[in-house]
Amino acid sequence: MGDSKREGTHGIPRVSRWLLARCLHDDDRRFALADLEEEFDEAVAASGLRRARAQYRRQVFASLGPALRGRFGRTGSNTLTRTPDSILRAVLADVRTSVRGYARTPLVLVVTVLSLGVGIGASSLAFALFRSVVYPSPVGLEAPEQLVTLYRGTPDGERHGHQAWADLDALREGIPQLVDVAGASMINASVEGPLGRQTLLGEEVTPNYFDLTGIHAAAGRVFSPEEIRSGDPRVAVLGYDAWQRVFGGSVDAVGQVVRLAGLSFTIIGVAPEGVRSRLIPFPTDVWVPVGSLSAGGVINEERRDPSSRGFLTLGRLRTGATIVQAQSSASRTAEALHDERPVLWTDDAGRAQPITVVSEAGSRVRPELRAGGSLIGAFFLLAAGLVLAVACSNVAGLFIARARKRRAELALRRSLGATRGRLIRMMLAEGVVPGTLAGILGVSIAYLGTEAIGALTLPVDVPLRLDADVDGLVLAVTFLTTVAAGLAFSIAPALEGARVDLYAALKSARGTGGGRRSRFRIKDGLVVAQCAATATLLFGAALFFRTLDVATDVDLGFDPDGIAVASRDISTRELSDREGVQFVRRLRDRMASLPEVRAAAISRSLELTLYQMGTSVSVAAGVEPASDQLAEAWRNAVTPGYIEMMDIPVIAGRALLESDDEDAESVAVVNETFVERHWPGEDPLDRVFSVRVGEAYVAYRVVGVVADGTYRDFDDPPTPFVFTSLYQDFTPRFAIALEGSTAEAVLPLLRSEIDLDEGEVQMVGPSVLADQVSFQFMHLRIASTVLGWGGIFGLLLAAMGLYGVVAFAVAQRAREMALRIALGAERLDVTRAVAREGLTLAAIGVVVGVVFVVWVARFGQGILFGVRPTDPVALIGTLGVLFAVTLTATLVPARQILRVDPMATLGRE
C-alpha cells in the first residue's frame, strides 16, 4: 500500500494529508491514513474526484482534535493535559510538589527569596525614583496636552531660560494660538505653624496661573485674577506636603492668617497631593500672587525691570492650534522684541535670543536638567539591574546544582515516559514559589525604600524632598521584573535537567563516578556573567570613589573651614540703597562684636553653595562698549573683609576697603581668568570695565586681582569673576558669614541673631559653610555608595557562585582526584588544577565587566571629574578585590582535596 502511489493516482489533497500525518501518533498514522484513503476511493467512485477531495478535507479537520489528544494524551500521569482545567490542575500539582521539596531544603528557598527579593526591590525602587524625578506625572493639570512652556534663550546661548515679567504682555499678544500666558517665579519663605517654623519653597505666580493650568483646590479654593484685582493680594495656596508639615493636615489651616516672608498672608486653599513645581522637579510648598511680597502688594521696580528674567512662562493652546503654529508666532515675537530692546535680546555671540515653545510633557523638567537626570537615572537603573542579574545567575546556578543532584530522579522519570517538555514544565514550576515570594519581598523593599527616601532631608536647610511612589506603573514593572527574573533563573536549570542522558545518569546513580568538566557549561556561563556584573559594579563604584577623592582635593580657591553662614532678606523693609547699606554696616559690626567671632562679612552670594543669587553679568572693557564686545562673567557683591575671611589669595593690588562706599568711585576686584580674557599680558590695575545693568552700563575700576577659584560647581572650567563692594552694589538679599575657632562655635550665635527677625525669608538657615560646599559632591557620594553596596552584594553572590562551582567540581571529580593522588600526584598540584578552573571563570567575567564599564563610561564622562574611564587606580583596586575573593572562593573547597583519603574514596566508589 504505497502512500505516494495512492496520492499521485487518486488525487488525495497533499496538504491535508501531510497535516494529519504530523498530528497522528506513530502507532496510529498508518492505519488512520489507510482508512481515509479507502473512504476516498469509494467517494471518488460514487461522487467524483471534486466531492471526494472536499469530503477528505472535512474528515481530516474533524480528526485533528482527536489526533492531537491521541498523540499527546497517552501514558497516564506523564501526559499533556487536554483541557484548561486539567492544565491548571497539573500546574498546581507541580507547585505543590515543589513546596514539599522546599520544605525538605528550606535553606535553598531562603537564599533564593532573599537574593531575588533584594534585586527586584532595588530595581523597582530605582525605577520609581527615575520616573518620579525625570518623568513625573502631570498631577492636577487640566488638559495638559494643551499646555506649553515658552522658554527664552540666555545670553550664553542656552535655549531654555526664563522670561522677564515685562515681556509677558508681548507674548500674550504676539502668539494668537495661545488662549493666555502665565508666569511663575521661585520664592522661598519661612512660615510659623502649629508644628513650628518651617522653610518653604514656593512660587510667585501671575493671578491667572490657576485658571490657565486648571489646578483646583483639594481644600478651600485657589485665587483668581478677579479676586486679586478687587481684594487683598496677600493670599496663599499651600502645597499638600507643606500643609502636612506645617499644619499636620488640619482643615483649620484654611482661613488662617500666617506670617509668610515677614508679611501677613491668608491661607485660602490647599493644592491636591502630588502637584509639582514647574521650576524644580519637587512638590511646590506655597503659591502667592506676583507682587504680594512687595510693600503695598504691588509689583515693584525690580520685577518690572526688563532685564530681570525670573519667570517661567506657561501658555495654553487654543482648540485646534498646534505647537508648530505657536512656535512660528513665537519666533516672530522674538524678532520684534529684539528690534525693540536689542541690548536685552542679543546673546553674547551677537545673535537674537530665540523663544522656544515646548509641550507640557517635554517641560515637566527643564530639558537641560532632564538630559543629565536621564543619564544619572539610567545609570542607577543599570546598577540595580546588574544586582538583579547577579542574583538571578546565582540562583540559577543553585538550581542547576539541584538539578544535577536529581539526575537519577529525572532519568527515572524519562525512562517511565515523561517527555522533555514535561520535565521542563515541572522544573519551571519549581521557580513559581520562590519567584512569588521574592516579588512580594521586592515590592515591600521598594515601598519601604520610597517611604525612607521621602523622609530624607538634605544636609542643608532647604526643603527639597524626593517624592517617589509605588503606584500602578511601578507595580506593573515589578511584576514584569519578577516574571523575567523567574524565567531567568528557571530556564537554564530546566534545560539542564531536561538534557539528562538516561544511561549516564543511571550509571552515575549506581556510583560509577562523575561526569566530565564539559558537562557544566551552562553553570560556568552563569558564573562568568556573575563575575562580569560584579566587576561592573565594583569598577563603577571605584571610579566614583576616585572621582569623589579627586573632587574633594581640588583647590577651591577659598577656605570654608571655621565659617558659619545664614541668609537674610530685608526687601520687605522697603529701604533705599543708602538706608540698606547702613543697615548692613550695623548688622556686620554687631555680628563682629559677638563673643567667639573672629570676623564677620556679608555678601550677595556664597560661592559653591545653593545660595548663588543670579550673579551672571555681561561685561566688557571700556566705559561704553559695543554690544558685540560683551562677555559673560560672574559677580559677587561683598563687604570689606570677605575676601580675607575666605582666604582668597590677592596676587595684585588690594582687596576691598571700608572706604569703597556708596560715595566713592565704583571699584572691583577681578580674578586671573577675567584679566586673561580682557587684558592678556597687560597690567590690569586701574583698568576700567563695564557691567550691564538693565539697558545701562556701570563702570568699575580694577583695584585688585585674586587667584582663580571654584564658584558655581567644582568641575567648572576657570570662569571670569568680579568682586564688587556691597556698599556700592547693594542688594536686600544677602548672606551673613561668621568666622570662629570652629564653625560650630559661632553657629549658635548666628541662630540667635536670625531668630531676632522672625518671619524673614531665609534661603539658607544657620549652617556650616563646609557642609554647604560638600553638598556639591552629594551626587558623587550617592553614586559611589549605591554602586559600592551593589558591588558588595554582587561580590558576595559571585563568591557564592564560584564556591558552588568549585565545590561541585570537587564532589564530582572525587574519584578522579583520589586516583591521581593514589598514583603519586602531588596534592598541591591537584589543588592548583581545581582552583585554576574557578579563577579562569572569574578572569573571563572580570575582563568582560571592565570592558563594559570602560565602554559605558565614555558616554558618562561628564559625571566623572579628574578621572578617566580607564583609571589605573580604580582598575587595580577592582582586580585586587575580585582576585582575593575569587581565590578564597576557589581555595576553600579545593582544600578538601588535601584531606582526601584516596583508599576511602575509592572504596566508596
Side-chain angles (χ1 to χ4, degrees):
M1 189 183 297
D3 293 344
S4 61
K5 181 179 178 180
R6 280 187 176 278
E7 189 172 329
T9 303
H10 299 291
I12 293 176
R14 297 187 179 187
V15 175
S16 300
R17 186 178 186 277
W18 176 88
L19 179 62
L20 181 59
R22 300 285 76 76
C23 295
L24 287 167
H25 193 275
D26 295 342
D27 297 336
D28 300 333
R29 184 177 298 122
R30 179 191 297 181
F31 302 105
L33 292 178
D35 289 341
L36 285 176
E37 288 165 2
E38 291 178 2
E39 293 179 10
F40 179 79
D41 290 340
E42 295 173 358
V44 170
S47 306
L49 178 62
R50 181 177 179 182
R51 292 187 176 181
R53 288 170 63 88
Q55 177 182 329
Y56 186 90
R57 291 191 181 96
R58 288 195 297 272
Q59 289 176 318
V60 166
F61 285 109
S63 303
L64 287 179
L68 289 172
R69 289 193 293 270
R71 180 178 179 86
F72 297 111
R74 297 173 178 269
T75 66
S77 62
N78 292 322
T79 62
L80 291 177
T81 53
R82 301 182 182 182
T83 65
D85 290 341
S86 58
I87 292 175
L88 179 60
R89 286 195 299 270
V91 171
L92 292 178
D94 288 335
V95 172
R96 285 194 297 268
T97 302
S98 67
V99 170
R100 289 193 294 269
Y102 288 124
R104 293 190 296 270
T105 57
L107 183 60
V108 173
L109 181 63
V110 171
V111 171
T112 301
V113 171
L114 288 178
S115 299
L116 290 177
V118 172
I120 293 172
S123 300
S124 301
L125 180 58
F127 175 76
L129 289 174
F130 175 78
R131 175 172 169 268
S132 174
V133 175
V134 182
Y135 294 98
S137 300
V139 177
L141 301 179
E142 180 180 334
E145 68 280 359
Q146 292 183 316
L147 288 176
V148 295
T149 302
L150 308 174
Y151 290 110
R152 173 179 170 182
T154 62
D156 58 359
E158 291 186 4
R159 297 185 62 85
H160 301 100
H162 293 172
Q163 307 279 357
W165 181 86
D167 295 329
L168 295 186
D169 287 339
L171 297 176
R172 187 178 293 109
E173 297 170 1
I175 308 178
Q177 292 80 15
L178 300 181
V179 176
D180 201 356
V181 298
S185 180
M186 184 180 294
I187 61 169
N188 62 287
S190 58
V191 63
E192 287 285 348
L195 300 184
R197 187 177 183 183
Q198 300 280 342
T199 300
L200 304 181
L201 278 181
E203 296 180 10
E204 188 179 15
V205 299
T206 53
N208 64 338
Y209 180 84
F210 290 103
D211 286 351
L212 186 135
T213 59
I215 298 175
H216 300 289
R221 58 185 174 82
V222 296
F223 51 76
S224 63
E226 294 75 17
E227 176 184 12
I228 300 304
R229 282 194 294 267
S230 60
D232 186 356
R234 292 201 171 102
V235 292
V237 176
L238 282 180
Y240 187 89
D241 288 353
W243 180 45
Q244 297 293 325
R245 294 200 317 268
V246 180
F247 295 96
S250 172
V251 294
D252 296 335
V254 177
Q256 286 194 29
V257 177
V258 297
R259 295 286 291 177
L260 185 68
L263 300 169
S264 296
F265 277 78
T266 302
I267 299 175
I268 63 172
V270 178
E273 183 178 7
V275 175
R276 287 170 171 258
S277 171
R278 310 296 302 183
L279 297 162
I280 55 176
F282 300 101
T284 304
D285 286 334
V286 65
W287 291 267
V288 298
V290 62
S292 59
L293 297 176
S294 303
V298 296
I299 299 176
N300 57 21
E301 292 300 321
E302 183 181 357
R303 284 295 192 195
R304 296 178 184 276
D305 187 350
S307 65
S308 177
R309 300 161 36 126
F311 280 90
L312 178 72
T313 306
L314 306 178
R316 180 172 288 278
L317 292 171
R318 297 182 185 276
T319 302
T322 65
I323 290 182
V324 175
Q325 296 170 341
Q327 178 62 69
S328 177
S329 298
S331 298
R332 291 192 295 270
T333 302
E335 293 174 0
L337 288 169
H338 176 258
D339 294 338
E340 180 182 346
R341 293 192 285 269
V343 174
L344 296 181
W345 279 82
T346 302
D347 63 20
D348 293 341
R351 300 184 298 262
Q353 297 172 8
I355 296 175
T356 305
V357 182
V358 181
S359 67
E360 185 277 331
S363 60
R364 291 174 198 167
V365 178
R366 187 171 173 175
E368 285 90 351
L369 297 178
R370 169 170 287 178
S374 298
L375 180 62
I376 296 174
F379 173 80
F380 286 117
L381 284 174
L382 174 62
L386 288 173
V387 172
L388 180 59
V390 173
C392 289
S393 60
N394 192 65
V395 172
L398 182 63
F399 273 54
I400 287 177
R402 292 181 73 241
R404 288 177 187 150
K405 290 182 179 180
R406 299 168 58 191
R407 278 180 178 275
E409 173 200 340
L410 298 175
L412 183 60
R413 288 178 180 270
R414 285 291 309 278
S415 67
L416 294 177
T419 63
R420 290 181 185 272
R422 176 69 179 85
L423 293 180
I424 291 176
R425 192 191 73 192
M426 181 188 72
M427 300 191 70
L428 286 177
E430 294 184 358
V432 172
V433 174
T436 302
L437 295 177
I440 295 173
L441 177 60
V443 171
S444 302
I445 291 175
Y447 177 79
L448 293 175
T450 56
E451 290 293 315
I453 290 174
L456 291 177
T457 57
L458 301 180
V460 293
D461 186 26
V462 179
L464 298 182
R465 290 173 175 82
L466 291 175
D467 181 26
D469 295 320
V470 181
D471 55 11
L473 181 59
V474 175
L475 288 176
V477 170
T478 303
F479 174 76
L480 294 176
T481 303
T482 302
V483 173
L487 292 175
F489 77 77
S490 297
I491 286 179
L495 294 176
E496 178 81 5
R499 206 174 56 187
V500 64
D501 183 276
L502 297 180
Y503 175 76
L506 293 174
K507 181 180 178 181
S508 175
R510 294 193 299 267
T512 57
R516 292 184 57 82
R517 185 72 182 91
S518 60
R519 292 184 182 178
F520 310 137
R521 286 174 295 182
I522 294 180
K523 186 166 175 61
D524 292 350
L526 292 174
V527 172
V528 169
Q530 282 180 295
C531 293
T534 302
T536 301
L537 290 168
L538 287 177
F539 190 42
L543 287 176
F544 276 102
F545 276 122
R546 284 280 296 141
T547 298
L548 182 61
D549 181 61
V550 172
T552 51
D553 284 343
V554 168
D555 182 9
L556 302 178
F558 65 94
D559 184 7
D561 291 341
I563 299 176
V565 294
S567 69
R568 294 286 299 271
D569 184 346
I570 60 172
S571 57
T572 57
R573 294 173 179 261
E574 291 296 315
L575 302 176
S576 66
D577 285 357
R578 183 174 291 275
E579 292 171 336
V581 168
Q582 296 303 316
F583 178 90
V584 167
R585 284 181 184 270
R586 292 192 299 270
L587 175 62
R588 192 198 64 166
D589 292 342
R590 185 171 68 254
M591 300 296 288
S593 64
L594 295 173
E596 304 293 335
V597 175
R598 295 179 179 176
I602 296 177
S603 63
R604 174 195 297 267
S605 178
L606 291 171
E607 287 74 38
L608 211 62
T609 70
L610 294 177
Y611 194 79
Q612 298 180 36
M613 303 298 292
T615 54
S616 176
V617 295
S618 296
V619 301
V623 178
E624 295 183 358
S627 61
D628 58 358
Q629 296 176 335
L630 293 173
E632 184 181 16
W634 286 79
R635 173 184 60 173
N636 192 6
V638 301
T639 59
Y642 178 87
I643 293 176
E644 294 86 346
M645 176 190 293
M646 294 292 179
D647 285 336
I648 301 174
V650 178
I651 59 178
R654 63 173 176 85
L656 298 172
L657 304 176
E658 286 291 333
S659 58
D660 298 322
D661 57 17
E662 60 271 31
D663 296 323
E665 177 189 14
S666 297
V667 297
V669 175
V670 299
N671 69 342
E672 295 173 286
T673 300
F674 189 98
V675 174
E676 294 172 2
R677 178 74 55 86
H678 296 283
W679 306 291
E682 301 179 19
D683 183 8
L685 297 181
D686 293 327
R687 296 273 188 170
V688 176
F689 68 92
S690 298
V691 175
R692 187 174 68 186
V693 179
E695 299 187 60
Y697 290 95
V698 177
Y700 287 89
R701 180 171 62 87
V702 177
V703 296
V705 178
V706 296
D708 285 339
T710 305
Y711 309 109
R712 291 182 297 170
D713 203 349
F714 67 91
D715 58 352
D716 280 346
T719 303
F721 203 88
V722 177
F723 289 99
T724 60
S725 172
L726 189 62
Y727 300 158
Q728 300 175 341
D729 187 12
F730 177 72
T731 174
R733 300 181 179 91
F734 49 79
I736 307 166
L738 301 184
E739 183 181 16
S741 56
T742 64
E744 290 74 12
V746 295
L747 198 56
L749 302 176
L750 197 54
R751 286 198 180 100
S752 63
E753 172 62 24
I754 293 298
D755 288 342
L756 294 177
D757 296 300
E758 190 172 313
E760 284 190 2
V761 173
Q762 191 172 17
M763 179 64 178
V764 178
S767 56
V768 176
L769 179 59
D771 291 343
Q772 293 277 337
V773 172
S774 70
F775 183 71
Q776 294 287 336
F777 310 110
M778 185 60 63
H779 65 292
L780 295 177
R781 289 192 171 92
I782 293 175
S784 56
T785 300
V786 169
L787 282 181
W789 280 107
I792 292 172
F793 182 72
L795 189 64
L796 177 62
L797 292 180
M800 292 168 58
L802 280 171
Y803 181 90
V805 167
V806 178
F808 190 77
V810 171
Q812 292 293 304
R813 299 174 62 186
R815 182 173 182 273
E816 170 199 341
M817 292 182 292
L819 282 174
R820 292 177 62 183
I821 295 174
L823 293 175
E826 293 290 337
R827 294 174 182 264
L828 184 59
D829 293 336
V830 179
T831 305
R832 187 183 298 115
V834 175
R836 187 183 301 118
E837 296 176 358
L839 291 175
T840 300
L841 295 177
I844 296 173
V846 169
V847 171
V848 173
V850 170
V851 170
F852 176 74
V853 172
V854 171
W855 179 74
V856 171
R858 293 188 303 110
F859 301 98
Q861 182 67 52
I863 302 177
L864 303 176
F865 172 71
V867 175
R868 296 177 299 170
T870 55
D871 182 68
V873 176
L875 182 59
I876 293 173
T878 301
L879 294 178
V881 171
L882 283 172
F883 177 77
V885 172
T886 53
L887 184 63
T888 303
T890 53
L891 285 181
V892 169
R895 284 184 66 247
Q896 298 175 14
I897 304 170
L898 299 177
R899 298 192 297 270
V900 169
D901 183 349
M903 299 310 295
T905 301
L906 293 175
R908 288 194 301 269
E909 295 291 332

